Amino acid sequence: MAGQTIDALGQFKLHPLFGEFGKSIGFSQSELMMIIATVLIPVLVCLGMRRKAIVPDRFQAATEMCYEFVHDMSLSTLGPAGKGFFPFIFSLFFFILTGNYLGLLPFSFAFTSHIVVTVTLALLVFIMAIIVSFKYQGLKFFAHFMPEGAPVAMAPLLVPIEILSYLSRPVSLSIRLFANMVAGHVMLIMFAAFTIMLASSFLGVAIGGFLGIFPIALNIALIALELLVGALQAYVFAILSCMYLREAIGH
Amino acid sequence: MNNEEKKKESFDSFDQKLAAFEKRVNASKNKAHTEISDNNSELWRIVFRAGVELFSGFAVGVAIGFGLDYWLSTKPWCMIVFSILGMAAGVLNVWRIVKPSDISTK
């Protein structure tokens, strides 16, 4: 990072871990963070519910709040069928949330900032929605691509548009999460680099170093913003998955 | 028996009190999750979402057009047709976000 250029995207580079073994199976820090996230969520939930007190302590109350939040969300959007999809939505939401938040720790890596990961998650939801809609609606699923009440003569124009609109769902779902995370992390590293550039500039360490406090102050505010964005994006991803599934169940 | 009934009753009233308390403390919990609030601070979220939807429709159209051109070697016709259809799909996506709730079209 030192010097006159800002290497804003170098932080998203993947490095193989664990020497030759990691190199041969392509195990990078992204996979490591995913495994940490996957282990962390059940461990935290189990630890939080260990005492099962009627009057919960803070840890248990936080766990129950998380559970109830996703439970309410899936039931209010999906109706009674939401109970079946709740485990899926819960793991989706907390996998993304934990990934976003783990990425904010120093020396860690935000795996949600890679479009491969977000596209995979979005395709998971998309394919699942298709399977669910075939199960619930059968071949009437295809009737959705023709808007009701439209004249049949318009079908050659309307049907492709509807199909494209349907196909654009996983794209927008994944780009939104990915773009938010990349933008946040690039901004963080830009302001961190400003501090170093100021300190090593012609102003000298005394003045430049002092001025470098301001980018750091801004970075603290940005971390707060990133906490908000991380939660919001996980929420948006989960709620949109719920809405797609609701449409798949519908009628 | 009587004792148990009393116990149940007290539990019921506790639930009611809890529900009333939660309603008072946590008003946002009772809102439906899908509704778009007209809160100004959330406006940028909707704007960003609409932008991504607009772009993704176009991106899918271009991708399909490119793929079909490559497959059928009809350069550039599929690309032209499908990118226009993709733009229309993007506008349709945005319309679904911003449409007033009292309009019942799909």
Side-chain angles (χ1 to χ4, degrees):
Chain A
M1 279 317 308
Q4 294 307 308
T5 57
I6 301 176
D7 181 20
L9 295 175
Q11 57 173 330
F12 301 117
K13 226 176 239 168
L14 295 173
H15 307 286
L17 297 176
F18 307 128
E20 283 302 310
F21 172 69
K23 228 179 249 171
S24 58
I25 61 168
F27 192 88
S28 64
Q29 76 269 49
S30 176
E31 279 83 16
L32 182 69
M33 296 317 285
M34 278 186 229
I35 290 176
I36 291 175
T38 330
V39 172
L40 204 61
I41 301 160
V43 165
L44 283 181
V45 170
C46 288
L47 277 183
M49 296 313 291
R50 186 187 39 183
R51 299 220 345 262
K52 296 191 186 68
I54 294 180
V55 180
D57 57 355
R58 285 183 188 179
F59 194 14
Q60 190 186 340
T63 316
E64 285 178 358
M65 238 162 78
C66 291
Y67 182 93
E68 273 172 14
F69 174 69
V70 184
H71 193 258
D72 284 356
M73 180 166 75
S74 53
L75 280 196
S76 68
T77 48
L78 291 168
K83 263 215 141 67
F85 292 108
F86 162 66
F88 175 67
I89 303 292
F90 185 87
S91 17
L92 198 64
F93 178 73
F94 278 102
F95 185 64
I96 295 169
L97 184 70
T98 320
N100 291 349
Y101 278 5
L102 280 178
L104 289 178
L105 298 174
F107 303 111
S108 78
F109 181 82
F111 58 77
T112 42
S113 65
H114 270 203
I115 197 156
V116 180
V117 179
T118 56
V119 161
T120 312
L121 288 173
L123 278 182
L124 183 71
V125 173
F126 184 66
I127 293 171
M128 186 169 168
I130 291 178
I131 294 172
V132 167
S133 47
F134 270 120
K135 194 185 159 220
Y136 275 83
Q137 310 175 30
L139 291 177
K140 269 177 73 184
F141 164 64
F142 291 108
H144 282 284
F145 292 123
M146 183 65 204
E148 279 167 51
V152 185
M154 292 288 279
L157 188 60
L158 289 175
V159 171
I161 290 176
E162 288 283 341
I163 290 174
L164 281 179
S165 161
Y166 192 75
L167 288 178
S168 74
R169 280 172 173 187
V171 178
S172 67
L173 202 57
S174 53
I175 286 180
R176 186 165 31 242
L177 177 58
F178 149 81
N180 269 290
M181 297 320 289
V182 167
H185 284 261
V186 165
M187 277 210 287
L188 283 177
I189 213 152
M190 293 273 272
F191 286 110
F194 284 164
T195 304
I196 295 170
M197 285 167 88
L198 275 171
S200 60
S201 68
F202 65 92
L203 291 168
V205 178
I207 306 170
F210 175 73
L211 287 177
I213 293 174
F214 296 109
I216 291 178
L218 211 62
N219 244 354
I220 294 171
L222 273 180
I223 286 278
L225 181 70
E226 276 302 292
L227 286 173
L228 175 72
V229 166
L232 214 59
Q233 288 310 312
Y235 173 71
V236 166
F237 201 99
I239 193 76
L240 283 177
S241 312
C242 280
M243 284 164 76
Y244 294 160
L245 286 172
R246 179 180 67 178
E247 206 167 279
I249 293 171
H251 322 299
Chain B
M1 179 64 193
N2 198 15
N3 205 6
E4 224 160 64
E5 247 170 33
K6 222 180 216 170
K7 211 172 177 182
K8 193 171 174 294
E9 202 171 71
S10 78
F11 264 122
D12 279 351
S13 74
F14 175 74
D15 277 347
Q16 277 167 14
K17 272 182 199 162
L18 188 66
F21 179 73
E22 275 192 343
K23 209 180 231 169
R24 201 149 38 93
V25 170
N26 208 346
S28 65
K29 220 175 167 182
N30 302 312
K31 272 201 313 195
H33 281 277
T34 48
E35 76 189 32
I36 294 175
S37 91
D38 46 13
N39 187 355
N40 209 7
S41 66
E42 285 184 14
L43 193 65
W44 67 270
R45 235 180 80 198
I46 296 160
V47 170
F48 180 71
R49 206 185 133 192
V52 170
E53 296 280 358
L54 196 62
F55 170 75
S56 64
F58 179 56
V60 167
V62 168
I64 289 178
F66 185 80
L68 282 179
D69 270 345
Y70 185 81
W71 181 39
L72 304 169
S73 50
T74 51
K75 230 173 197 172
W77 296 110
C78 284
M79 182 84 113
I80 292 170
V81 170
F82 275 90
S83 49
I84 292 170
L85 286 177
M87 287 176 206
V91 173
L92 183 66
N93 285 343
V94 174
W95 167 245
R96 287 202 176 124
I97 296 174
V98 301
K99 78 176 174 191
S101 51
D102 52 343
I103 293 179
S104 64
T105 52
K106 232 190 90 181

